[in-house]
Amino acid sequence: MPPLLSIQNLSLDFEAESGTVTALKNISFSVDRGEVVALVGESGSGKSVTSLSILQLLPSPPAKYVSGEIFFSEDGKENIDLLKRDRYQLQDIRGNKISMIFQEPMTSLNPVLTCGDQVMESLLLHKKISKTEAKQRTIEWFERVKLPNPEVMFNRYPHQLSGGQKQRVMIAIAMCCEPSLLICDEPTTALDVTVQKTILRLIKELQQQSNMGVVFITHDLGVVAEIADRALVMYKGEIVEQNTVKEIFTNAVHPYTKALLACRPVNHERGKRLPVVSDFLKPSKLSLQTIATTAKPRNSTVEGKVTTGDPILLSVKNLSVYFPTKRTMFGKPSSFTKAVDDVSFEVYKGETLGLVGESGCGKTTLGRTLLRLVEPTAGKIIYNGMDLTAKKKDELRSLRKDVQIIFQDPYSSLNPRMTIGAAIAEPIKVHKILATDKERKDKVTELLEKVNLKAEHFNRYPHEFSGGQRQRIVIARALALNPSFIVCDESVSALDVSVQAQVLNLLNDLKKEFGFTVIFISHDLSVVRYISDRIMVMNQGKIEESGNADDIYFNPKTEYTKKLIASIPKGMVS
């Protein structure tokens, strides 16, 4: 019996004005029924291009298939070459026999259609059933993917759902026609570890119930250990290693695979330099020594920074932020969402304080409120002896030089019409720190080089950079005014593990050089533990527990913190 999916010697180029770019080089692998095969690699490795090629979702031009075949055998008898099917023949296969869950549900879901209508659309197209039956099946699928109140969810629009709920709707759309092959393209990237664990378990349950094959694309080897049977490691358009998941983790052969495994912060002492991919692909004596001295067993701990004797930079007292959810007929708020609820803590000068919790716990609202980007409902924020809650907005302008924020999505926080040189120079110009354009350009060039970019990048636009490079740009912009205090809001959550390691190394280096204080916000406790001196765990607007980073990570006291740690993919813990 032929495999469910067989890709043989697939090569693909992209034709551009600047020349031909080779995206895939002789890719060959297969997927059997009931098997989960993971494609692993960094952004640009070719894994998403491979998955999109299966259903011919790449526009041609610029995509050009140079060679290869993609065979699909649903019944185990007929082998269909998908590359030889036209778009009308593929219409019966897409969403029906082969389905796909895309990386970003918000951009994949139609914002003007209810969630129920979007599932019904697929059922009505492929199953030829009545609208009444399609609606019933949709509600049943909402129950199967464990959405709360399926009848209510049917009439809700995507923007009314959380990230995890939107991903469940995408799973329902992909699964409602009971396909033989499911392609998952980074379906858990940037989700909380608890939501991620739930989504992975759900996909695995549905896969086992229907005995379907799954192609699971991710850059996170921890997720691979959680869900896959076999793993294929891709690098620059080629498969450099493939084996069972157990063999990949215990006996990795290729240097690139070893690098992906070693880059994870969970295996290293806090503050020690993380190894990066280049250390393995082009090793030097220095980099090999770095790798040897940083890798530590899981139970290795380091004494945290002694903060009690350091001066207090920030003191937060009984801070609350309430958002009205209902109003009376006269416009007076009658009920509230308590995003931050009577929170008190202190931040010591020179420390890195980690703030961790699930989406909706209030951590981002708290971070933005500290900078008065969100107005507090009650409480005090004392920064360097000044009560920021008592300051008027125009009085806060001079403070902006001293406090900065690095947002979660660097692309949306950069002006697409402005070169990155102009974007970094803008705050310097606004605060009149340097007098001439030449001085400002020299300062920006210096900052670009500090974040491992080049002077020639000055005149490029944000879309010309990778995600990791854009993150470096917003870090450079935050440092342009030489601040004393920086809030990092999920600044590495959606990055590849190798790029994440580079950015974490960069933040540690810059912190030593400039001496600023950091609040590092993330949903990933393993990352927070690596970079922080102390950790605060937040849940439903309140601080669950706080303490030394290693104490919180290795000896959590509350059930909520224990749940967060238990949700970290097992492959991430050595």
Side-chain angles (χ1 to χ4, degrees):
M1 181 183 291
L4 179 65
L5 177 75
S6 177
I7 296 179
Q8 299 176 7
N9 302 313
L10 182 65
S11 295
L12 182 142
D13 291 345
F14 285 109
E15 303 290 345
E17 291 182 5
S18 56
T20 301
V21 177
T22 300
L24 298 177
K25 305 173 189 174
N26 293 316
I27 296 295
S28 295
F29 69 93
S30 63
V31 181
D32 288 324
R33 293 158 189 80
E35 182 182 35
V36 180
V37 176
L39 294 182
V40 189
E42 299 170 281
S43 296
S45 63
K47 56 189 189 297
S48 289
V49 172
T50 302
S51 69
L52 292 170
S53 296
I54 295 170
L55 288 173
Q56 290 192 48
L57 295 177
L58 295 169
S60 181
K64 178 184 177 183
Y65 292 96
V66 179
S67 65
E69 297 164 313
I70 303 177
F71 290 111
F72 175 65
S73 177
E74 183 185 22
D75 56 9
K77 298 176 183 178
E78 185 184 6
N79 240 353
I80 302 170
D81 189 348
L82 297 176
L83 291 180
K84 292 181 179 177
R85 290 293 190 267
D86 61 33
R87 63 189 183 96
Y88 298 106
Q89 293 171 315
L90 284 170
Q91 189 172 9
D92 182 53
I93 295 174
R94 291 172 178 161
N96 186 22
K97 299 174 181 178
I98 303 176
S99 285
M100 191 164 184
I101 302 171
F102 294 95
Q103 179 172 353
E104 178 46 67
M106 192 64 218
T107 55
S108 302
L109 293 171
N110 190 328
V112 299
L113 291 179
T114 66
C115 296
D117 285 338
Q118 296 186 59
V119 180
M120 280 181 62
E121 183 179 33
S122 185
L123 286 167
L124 292 170
L125 175 65
H126 294 296
K127 294 304 179 184
K128 312 300 181 187
I129 57 179
S130 67
K131 284 189 176 181
T132 303
E133 188 178 351
K135 181 175 181 179
Q136 183 58 39
R137 285 200 195 181
T138 298
I139 292 172
E140 288 173 2
W141 268 104
F142 280 177
E143 289 175 352
R144 289 186 71 178
V145 299
K146 299 178 174 60
L147 277 169
N149 301 318
E151 291 85 357
V152 175
M153 289 293 175
F154 185 94
N155 294 310
R156 286 197 174 170
Y157 291 88
H159 72 273
Q160 296 176 297
L161 276 62
S162 70
Q165 289 173 336
K166 284 194 283 278
Q167 198 60 278
R168 291 165 195 258
V169 173
M170 284 293 300
I171 293 172
I173 294 172
M175 292 291 298
C176 65
C177 294
E178 299 180 354
S180 300
L181 178 67
L182 179 66
I183 303 168
C184 304
D185 187 4
E186 300 270 14
T188 59
T189 298
L191 292 180
D192 299 333
V193 286
T194 50
V195 178
Q196 173 180 268
K197 190 178 184 69
T198 304
I199 295 295
L200 291 176
R201 187 184 296 123
L202 175 60
I203 292 172
K204 191 71 174 176
E205 284 175 4
L206 294 172
Q207 178 258 335
Q208 290 173 344
Q209 289 169 13
S210 59
N211 198 40
M212 67 180 175
V214 176
V215 176
F216 195 96
I217 297 161
T218 182
H219 62 259
D220 190 338
L221 277 164
V223 171
V224 172
E226 197 82 2
I227 195 170
D229 302 304
R230 287 192 297 123
L232 286 69
V233 182
M234 296 191 69
Y235 178 62
K236 293 186 176 179
E238 297 182 88
I239 295 175
V240 295
E241 184 168 358
Q242 57 179 308
N243 214 325
T244 63
V245 168
K246 183 179 179 181
E247 284 297 311
I248 289 287
F249 273 86
T250 57
N251 298 304
V253 176
H254 196 276
Y256 181 69
T257 311
K258 294 178 181 178
L260 291 180
L261 289 165
C263 287
R264 298 169 297 156
V266 72
N267 293 333
H268 301 274
E269 289 184 1
R270 286 192 290 111
K272 299 294 184 180
R273 192 164 195 82
L274 294 172
V276 296
V277 170
S278 59
D279 295 332
F280 289 81
L281 298 182
K282 295 180 181 178
S284 64
K285 288 183 179 179
L286 178 61
S287 63
L288 288 173
Q289 185 180 6
T290 301
I291 295 164
T293 56
T294 56
K296 297 290 178 182
R298 182 183 184 276
N299 61 1
S300 171
T301 60
V302 182
E303 288 300 315
K305 177 182 173 66
V306 179
T307 55
T308 51
D310 293 333
I312 295 172
L313 181 69
L314 180 73
S315 179
V316 177
K317 299 178 180 178
N318 306 111
L319 186 67
S320 295
V321 182
Y322 297 169
F323 296 114
T325 54
K326 288 184 181 179
R327 295 180 183 272
T328 65
M329 61 183 295
F330 301 106
K332 185 177 180 180
S334 58
S335 65
F336 299 87
T337 295
K338 297 180 179 181
V340 179
D341 190 11
D342 196 26
V343 166
S344 298
F345 63 93
E346 293 171 338
V347 183
Y348 297 92
K349 190 172 183 180
E351 81 165 329
T352 299
L353 176 66
L355 182 59
V356 69
E358 298 172 283
S359 292
C361 71
K363 59 187 186 296
T364 292
T365 301
L366 175 57
R368 295 187 180 195
T369 305
L370 297 179
L371 276 59
R372 286 283 302 275
L373 298 177
V374 173
E375 290 301 317
T377 304
K380 290 187 176 182
I381 306 167
I382 311 296
Y383 175 78
N384 255 344
M386 296 183 294
D387 184 0
L388 301 188
T389 56
K391 297 283 184 182
K392 295 180 180 178
K393 286 191 175 182
D394 56 344
E395 294 176 312
L396 288 170
R397 184 168 180 175
S398 60
L399 180 72
R400 299 296 180 207
K401 289 187 293 184
D402 209 36
V403 294
Q404 289 288 307
I405 185 168
I406 301 170
F407 293 101
Q408 178 173 357
D409 183 359
Y411 191 72
S412 62
S413 61
L414 291 169
N415 188 332
R417 298 184 181 182
M418 188 179 285
T419 65
I420 62 116
I424 297 170
E426 186 179 35
I428 301 173
K429 188 174 183 179
V430 166
H431 288 281
K432 301 177 182 178
I433 292 177
L434 297 173
T436 66
D437 287 340
K438 184 181 183 305
E439 288 177 323
R440 286 190 284 269
K441 185 172 183 179
D442 290 343
K443 176 66 173 177
V444 171
T445 301
E446 179 188 341
L447 287 167
L448 287 173
E449 289 172 350
K450 281 189 182 297
V451 297
N452 300 325
L453 293 173
K454 298 177 182 178
E456 53 262 35
H457 290 145
F458 187 96
N459 291 314
R460 291 188 186 177
Y461 290 87
H463 72 273
E464 297 180 87
F465 295 90
S466 69
Q469 287 174 321
R470 283 195 289 266
Q471 197 61 271
R472 294 168 187 272
I473 292 164
V474 296
I475 290 172
R477 186 177 61 180
L479 293 174
L481 300 174
N482 196 21
S484 300
F485 179 58
I486 297 177
V487 174
C488 296
D489 186 8
E490 298 275 14
S491 52
V492 298
S493 63
L495 298 178
D496 298 333
V497 286
S498 56
V499 180
Q500 182 186 83
Q502 294 171 15
V503 173
L504 291 174
N505 285 339
L506 174 65
L507 285 171
N508 277 331
D509 291 344
L510 294 172
K511 187 170 178 288
K512 288 175 185 175
E513 181 176 349
F514 291 93
F516 50 76
T517 304
V518 180
I519 288 184
F520 190 91
I521 300 171
S522 178
H523 61 259
D524 190 336
L525 246 172
S526 61
V527 172
V528 172
R529 176 252 166 189
Y530 165 75
I531 201 167
S532 304
D533 300 304
R534 288 189 299 134
I535 293 177
M536 291 196 311
V537 181
M538 200 167 181
N539 181 27
Q540 297 182 349
K542 293 183 176 291
I543 303 299
E544 281 272 326
E545 65 176 302
S546 63
N548 174 277
D550 281 332
D551 290 342
I552 295 291
Y553 189 81
F554 295 116
N555 301 296
K557 292 182 174 61
T558 69
E559 290 303 315
Y560 179 74
T561 310
K562 291 175 183 177
K563 183 182 77 169
L564 287 180
I565 293 171
S567 297
I568 298 172
K570 60 186 178 183
M572 293 185 68
V573 181
S574 61

